[in-house]
PDB file of all heavy atoms in Angstrom:
ATOM      1  N   GLU A 318     -19.547 -27.534   3.220  1.00  0.00           N
ATOM      2  CA  GLU A 318     -19.665 -27.040   4.589  1.00  0.00           C
ATOM      3  C   GLU A 318     -19.076 -25.641   4.654  1.00  0.00           C
ATOM      4  O   GLU A 318     -18.099 -25.335   3.960  1.00  0.00           O
ATOM      5  CB  GLU A 318     -18.908 -27.971   5.542  1.00  0.00           C
ATOM      6  CG  GLU A 318     -18.864 -27.489   6.987  1.00  0.00           C
ATOM      7  CD  GLU A 318     -18.049 -28.407   7.869  1.00  0.00           C
ATOM      8  OE1 GLU A 318     -17.551 -29.445   7.357  1.00  0.00           O
ATOM      9  OE2 GLU A 318     -17.865 -28.094   9.058  1.00  0.00           O
ATOM     10  N   VAL A 319     -19.673 -24.787   5.456  1.00  0.00           N
ATOM     11  CA  VAL A 319     -19.145 -23.442   5.701  1.00  0.00           C
ATOM     12  C   VAL A 319     -18.804 -23.335   7.179  1.00  0.00           C
ATOM     13  O   VAL A 319     -19.651 -23.571   8.042  1.00  0.00           O
ATOM     14  CB  VAL A 319     -20.161 -22.346   5.304  1.00  0.00           C
ATOM     15  CG1 VAL A 319     -19.604 -20.967   5.652  1.00  0.00           C
ATOM     16  CG2 VAL A 319     -20.494 -22.430   3.821  1.00  0.00           C
ATOM     17  N   ARG A 320     -17.534 -22.998   7.470  1.00  0.00           N
ATOM     18  CA  ARG A 320     -17.072 -22.828   8.849  1.00  0.00           C
ATOM     19  C   ARG A 320     -16.505 -21.430   9.051  1.00  0.00           C
ATOM     20  O   ARG A 320     -15.946 -20.867   8.126  1.00  0.00           O
ATOM     21  CB  ARG A 320     -15.967 -23.856   9.161  1.00  0.00           C
ATOM     22  CG  ARG A 320     -16.440 -25.261   9.374  1.00  0.00           C
ATOM     23  CD  ARG A 320     -15.319 -26.103   9.960  1.00  0.00           C
ATOM     24  NE  ARG A 320     -15.774 -27.453  10.278  1.00  0.00           N
ATOM     25  CZ  ARG A 320     -15.089 -28.310  11.023  1.00  0.00           C
ATOM     26  NH1 ARG A 320     -13.926 -27.952  11.537  1.00  0.00           N
ATOM     27  NH2 ARG A 320     -15.556 -29.513  11.276  1.00  0.00           N
ATOM     28  N   PRO A 321     -16.635 -20.860  10.251  1.00  0.00           N
ATOM     29  CA  PRO A 321     -17.220 -21.407  11.478  1.00  0.00           C
ATOM     30  C   PRO A 321     -18.745 -21.587  11.430  1.00  0.00           C
ATOM     31  O   PRO A 321     -19.300 -22.262  12.271  1.00  0.00           O
ATOM     32  CB  PRO A 321     -16.855 -20.365  12.532  1.00  0.00           C
ATOM     33  CG  PRO A 321     -15.754 -19.572  11.957  1.00  0.00           C
ATOM     34  CD  PRO A 321     -16.004 -19.562  10.490  1.00  0.00           C
ATOM     35  N   GLY A 322     -19.424 -20.926  10.473  1.00  0.00           N
ATOM     36  CA  GLY A 322     -20.876 -21.064  10.391  1.00  0.00           C
ATOM     37  C   GLY A 322     -21.579 -20.083  11.303  1.00  0.00           C
ATOM     38  O   GLY A 322     -21.217 -18.900  11.383  1.00  0.00           O
ATOM     39  N   ILE A 323     -22.570 -20.576  12.031  1.00  0.00           N
ATOM     40  CA  ILE A 323     -23.355 -19.728  12.946  1.00  0.00           C
ATOM     41  C   ILE A 323     -22.703 -19.779  14.323  1.00  0.00           C
ATOM     42  O   ILE A 323     -22.517 -20.857  14.888  1.00  0.00           O
ATOM     43  CB  ILE A 323     -24.813 -20.231  13.019  1.00  0.00           C
ATOM     44  CG1 ILE A 323     -25.434 -20.240  11.611  1.00  0.00           C
ATOM     45  CG2 ILE A 323     -25.631 -19.357  13.959  1.00  0.00           C
ATOM     46  CD1 ILE A 323     -26.744 -20.980  11.527  1.00  0.00           C
ATOM     47  N   CYS A 334     -19.921 -22.938  17.848  1.00  0.00           N
ATOM     48  CA  CYS A 334     -20.097 -22.762  16.403  1.00  0.00           C
ATOM     49  C   CYS A 334     -20.941 -23.887  15.827  1.00  0.00           C
ATOM     50  O   CYS A 334     -20.787 -25.047  16.216  1.00  0.00           O
ATOM     51  CB  CYS A 334     -18.748 -22.744  15.701  1.00  0.00           C
ATOM     52  SG  CYS A 334     -17.698 -21.377  16.174  1.00  0.00           S
ATOM     53  N   THR A 335     -21.815 -23.522  14.913  1.00  0.00           N
ATOM     54  CA  THR A 335     -22.628 -24.505  14.205  1.00  0.00           C
ATOM     55  C   THR A 335     -22.315 -24.402  12.723  1.00  0.00           C
ATOM     56  O   THR A 335     -22.717 -23.438  12.059  1.00  0.00           O
ATOM     57  CB  THR A 335     -24.132 -24.241  14.426  1.00  0.00           C
ATOM     58  OG1 THR A 335     -24.409 -24.189  15.822  1.00  0.00           O
ATOM     59  CG2 THR A 335     -24.971 -25.317  13.759  1.00  0.00           C
ATOM     60  N   PRO A 336     -21.551 -25.342  12.164  1.00  0.00           N
ATOM     61  CA  PRO A 336     -21.220 -25.270  10.740  1.00  0.00           C
ATOM     62  C   PRO A 336     -22.465 -25.401   9.874  1.00  0.00           C
ATOM     63  O   PRO A 336     -23.458 -26.026  10.277  1.00  0.00           O
ATOM     64  CB  PRO A 336     -20.268 -26.454  10.537  1.00  0.00           C
ATOM     65  CG  PRO A 336     -20.586 -27.403  11.649  1.00  0.00           C
ATOM     66  CD  PRO A 336     -21.008 -26.549  12.809  1.00  0.00           C
ATOM     67  N   ILE A 337     -22.421 -24.802   8.708  1.00  0.00           N
ATOM     68  CA  ILE A 337     -23.552 -24.832   7.778  1.00  0.00           C
ATOM     69  C   ILE A 337     -23.261 -25.859   6.690  1.00  0.00           C
ATOM     70  O   ILE A 337     -22.227 -25.792   6.021  1.00  0.00           O
ATOM     71  CB  ILE A 337     -23.776 -23.448   7.139  1.00  0.00           C
ATOM     72  CG1 ILE A 337     -24.023 -22.389   8.221  1.00  0.00           C
ATOM     73  CG2 ILE A 337     -24.938 -23.482   6.155  1.00  0.00           C
ATOM     74  CD1 ILE A 337     -23.991 -20.964   7.694  1.00  0.00           C
ATOM     75  N   TYR A 338     -24.158 -26.813   6.524  1.00  0.00           N
ATOM     76  CA  TYR A 338     -24.034 -27.815   5.460  1.00  0.00           C
ATOM     77  C   TYR A 338     -24.981 -27.460   4.320  1.00  0.00           C
ATOM     78  O   TYR A 338     -26.116 -27.042   4.549  1.00  0.00           O
ATOM     79  CB  TYR A 338     -24.401 -29.207   5.986  1.00  0.00           C
ATOM     80  CG  TYR A 338     -23.297 -29.911   6.746  1.00  0.00           C
ATOM     81  CD1 TYR A 338     -22.130 -29.258   7.105  1.00  0.00           C
ATOM     82  CD2 TYR A 338     -23.423 -31.252   7.103  1.00  0.00           C
ATOM     83  CE1 TYR A 338     -21.130 -29.906   7.796  1.00  0.00           C
ATOM     84  CE2 TYR A 338     -22.425 -31.916   7.804  1.00  0.00           C
ATOM     85  CZ  TYR A 338     -21.277 -31.228   8.151  1.00  0.00           C
ATOM     86  OH  TYR A 338     -20.283 -31.864   8.844  1.00  0.00           O
ATOM     87  N   GLN A 379     -15.424 -16.429   6.295  1.00  0.00           N
ATOM     88  CA  GLN A 379     -15.624 -17.842   6.558  1.00  0.00           C
ATOM     89  C   GLN A 379     -14.977 -18.671   5.439  1.00  0.00           C
ATOM     90  O   GLN A 379     -14.542 -18.149   4.418  1.00  0.00           O
ATOM     91  CB  GLN A 379     -17.125 -18.149   6.665  1.00  0.00           C
ATOM     92  CG  GLN A 379     -17.821 -17.284   7.703  1.00  0.00           C
ATOM     93  CD  GLN A 379     -18.812 -18.070   8.546  1.00  0.00           C
ATOM     94  OE1 GLN A 379     -18.730 -19.279   8.683  1.00  0.00           O
ATOM     95  NE2 GLN A 379     -19.759 -17.361   9.139  1.00  0.00           N
ATOM     96  N   ASP A 385     -17.039 -31.856   6.340  1.00  0.00           N
ATOM     97  CA  ASP A 385     -16.208 -32.527   7.352  1.00  0.00           C
ATOM     98  C   ASP A 385     -14.729 -32.604   6.968  1.00  0.00           C
ATOM     99  O   ASP A 385     -13.984 -33.427   7.509  1.00  0.00           O
ATOM    100  CB  ASP A 385     -16.732 -33.942   7.630  1.00  0.00           C
ATOM    101  CG  ASP A 385     -18.187 -33.940   8.076  1.00  0.00           C
ATOM    102  OD1 ASP A 385     -18.575 -33.034   8.837  1.00  0.00           O
ATOM    103  OD2 ASP A 385     -18.933 -34.840   7.642  1.00  0.00           O
ATOM    104  N   LEU A 387     -12.784 -29.525   6.427  1.00  0.00           N
ATOM    105  CA  LEU A 387     -12.205 -28.191   6.556  1.00  0.00           C
ATOM    106  C   LEU A 387     -11.285 -28.113   7.776  1.00  0.00           C
ATOM    107  O   LEU A 387     -11.375 -28.946   8.685  1.00  0.00           O
ATOM    108  CB  LEU A 387     -13.313 -27.143   6.682  1.00  0.00           C
ATOM    109  CG  LEU A 387     -14.063 -26.793   5.402  1.00  0.00           C
ATOM    110  CD1 LEU A 387     -15.233 -25.847   5.699  1.00  0.00           C
ATOM    111  CD2 LEU A 387     -13.134 -26.159   4.376  1.00  0.00           C
ATOM    112  N   VAL A 390     -11.554 -24.775  13.879  1.00  0.00           N
ATOM    113  CA  VAL A 390     -11.951 -23.403  14.218  1.00  0.00           C
ATOM    114  C   VAL A 390     -11.304 -23.036  15.548  1.00  0.00           C
ATOM    115  O   VAL A 390     -11.445 -23.763  16.539  1.00  0.00           O
ATOM    116  CB  VAL A 390     -13.492 -23.286  14.308  1.00  0.00           C
ATOM    117  CG1 VAL A 390     -13.895 -21.876  14.744  1.00  0.00           C
ATOM    118  CG2 VAL A 390     -14.126 -23.633  12.962  1.00  0.00           C
ATOM    119  N   GLU A 494     -15.688 -25.509  20.475  1.00  0.00           N
ATOM    120  CA  GLU A 494     -16.658 -26.611  20.497  1.00  0.00           C
ATOM    121  C   GLU A 494     -17.623 -26.454  19.331  1.00  0.00           C
ATOM    122  O   GLU A 494     -18.240 -25.411  19.145  1.00  0.00           O
ATOM    123  CB  GLU A 494     -17.420 -26.588  21.821  1.00  0.00           C
ATOM    124  CG  GLU A 494     -18.487 -27.660  21.938  1.00  0.00           C
ATOM    125  CD  GLU A 494     -19.272 -27.557  23.235  1.00  0.00           C
ATOM    126  OE1 GLU A 494     -18.791 -26.876  24.167  1.00  0.00           O
ATOM    127  OE2 GLU A 494     -20.376 -28.139  23.304  1.00  0.00           O
ATOM    128  N   MET A 495     -17.751 -27.502  18.514  1.00  0.00           N
ATOM    129  CA  MET A 495     -18.605 -27.458  17.331  1.00  0.00           C
ATOM    130  C   MET A 495     -19.913 -28.192  17.610  1.00  0.00           C
ATOM    131  O   MET A 495     -19.920 -29.321  18.093  1.00  0.00           O
ATOM    132  CB  MET A 495     -17.910 -28.095  16.131  1.00  0.00           C
ATOM    133  CG  MET A 495     -16.563 -27.468  15.773  1.00  0.00           C
ATOM    134  SD  MET A 495     -16.674 -25.746  15.261  1.00  0.00           S
ATOM    135  CE  MET A 495     -17.492 -25.936  13.686  1.00  0.00           C
ATOM    136  N   ASN A 496     -21.024 -27.514  17.298  1.00  0.00           N
ATOM    137  CA  ASN A 496     -22.345 -28.118  17.466  1.00  0.00           C
ATOM    138  C   ASN A 496     -22.687 -28.993  16.272  1.00  0.00           C
ATOM    139  O   ASN A 496     -21.948 -29.043  15.283  1.00  0.00           O
ATOM    140  CB  ASN A 496     -23.410 -27.028  17.621  1.00  0.00           C
ATOM    141  CG  ASN A 496     -23.243 -26.238  18.893  1.00  0.00           C
ATOM    142  OD1 ASN A 496     -22.785 -26.767  19.905  1.00  0.00           O
ATOM    143  ND2 ASN A 496     -23.610 -24.966  18.854  1.00  0.00           N
ATOM    144  N   LYS A 497     -23.823 -29.668  16.373  1.00  0.00           N
ATOM    145  CA  LYS A 497     -24.324 -30.452  15.252  1.00  0.00           C
ATOM    146  C   LYS A 497     -24.576 -29.520  14.068  1.00  0.00           C
ATOM    147  O   LYS A 497     -25.102 -28.429  14.233  1.00  0.00           O
ATOM    148  CB  LYS A 497     -25.621 -31.165  15.652  1.00  0.00           C
ATOM    149  CG  LYS A 497     -26.142 -32.125  14.589  1.00  0.00           C
ATOM    150  CD  LYS A 497     -27.394 -32.831  15.080  1.00  0.00           C
ATOM    151  CE  LYS A 497     -27.935 -33.784  14.012  1.00  0.00           C
ATOM    152  NZ  LYS A 497     -29.162 -34.474  14.435  1.00  0.00           N
ATOM    153  N   PRO A 498     -24.184 -29.920  12.853  1.00  0.00           N
ATOM    154  CA  PRO A 498     -24.294 -29.021  11.701  1.00  0.00           C
ATOM    155  C   PRO A 498     -25.715 -28.564  11.430  1.00  0.00           C
ATOM    156  O   PRO A 498     -26.686 -29.273  11.706  1.00  0.00           O
ATOM    157  CB  PRO A 498     -23.773 -29.867  10.539  1.00  0.00           C
ATOM    158  CG  PRO A 498     -22.965 -30.942  11.177  1.00  0.00           C
ATOM    159  CD  PRO A 498     -23.591 -31.205  12.503  1.00  0.00           C
ATOM    160  N   ALA A 499     -25.815 -27.336  10.876  1.00  0.00           N
ATOM    161  CA  ALA A 499     -27.105 -26.811  10.413  1.00  0.00           C
ATOM    162  C   ALA A 499     -27.231 -27.151   8.939  1.00  0.00           C
ATOM    163  O   ALA A 499     -26.410 -26.736   8.133  1.00  0.00           O
ATOM    164  CB  ALA A 499     -27.166 -25.299  10.620  1.00  0.00           C
ATOM    165  N   PHE A 500     -28.265 -27.930   8.579  1.00  0.00           N
ATOM    166  CA  PHE A 500     -28.438 -28.326   7.189  1.00  0.00           C
ATOM    167  C   PHE A 500     -29.265 -27.272   6.475  1.00  0.00           C
ATOM    168  O   PHE A 500     -30.359 -26.916   6.918  1.00  0.00           O
ATOM    169  CB  PHE A 500     -29.132 -29.690   7.090  1.00  0.00           C
ATOM    170  CG  PHE A 500     -28.218 -30.820   7.440  1.00  0.00           C
ATOM    171  CD1 PHE A 500     -27.992 -31.170   8.762  1.00  0.00           C
ATOM    172  CD2 PHE A 500     -27.547 -31.512   6.448  1.00  0.00           C
ATOM    173  CE1 PHE A 500     -27.131 -32.201   9.099  1.00  0.00           C
ATOM    174  CE2 PHE A 500     -26.682 -32.546   6.755  1.00  0.00           C
ATOM    175  CZ  PHE A 500     -26.471 -32.897   8.098  1.00  0.00           C
TER     176      PHE A 500
END
Side-chain angles (χ1 to χ4, degrees):
E318 175 183 358
V319 177
R320 285 192 176 193
I323 302 168
C334 297
T335 306
I337 302 169
Y338 279 9
Q379 305 222 23
D385 303 321
L387 285 174
V390 177
E494 178 183 343
M495 303 297 290
N496 294 328
K497 186 178 179 181
F500 285 82

